Amino acid sequence: MEKNVLPVKCSCCKKELDAIDLVIINDSLQLTHIQCPDKGEKPIIDVGYFNAVSQKYLTFT
């Protein structure tokens, strides 16, 4: 059975994130891809691949 999952997008530039994208998660739990031209100066709490970071910090319901 196929899951209907909404795509997750970069919080700054709205690029759709893939499982293998390197992402930054900031102290507000916002995901930004590592090469985003619009990322700000918020404190970073972790960097990693989207799948690993999202499983560690985000809950999808």
Side-chain angles (χ1 to χ4, degrees), residues 7-61:
V8 176
K9 297 185 179 188
C10 172
S11 63
C12 296
C13 72
K14 306 305 179 210
K15 174 192 178 285
E16 192 172 309
L17 300 173
D18 294 323
I20 59 169
D21 280 331
L22 283 173
V23 295
I24 298 166
I25 189 162
N26 66 27
D27 62 346
S28 300
L29 298 181
Q30 295 175 319
L31 288 172
T32 306
H33 67 97
I34 201 97
Q35 295 178 332
C36 181
D38 301 327
K39 65 180 174 263
E41 295 295 322
K42 293 189 177 183
I44 296 171
I45 60 171
D46 206 351
V47 175
Y49 289 105
F50 170 72
N51 269 359
V53 171
S54 63
Q55 288 175 2
K56 187 174 179 180
Y57 294 100
L58 306 176
T59 306
F60 298 101
T61 55

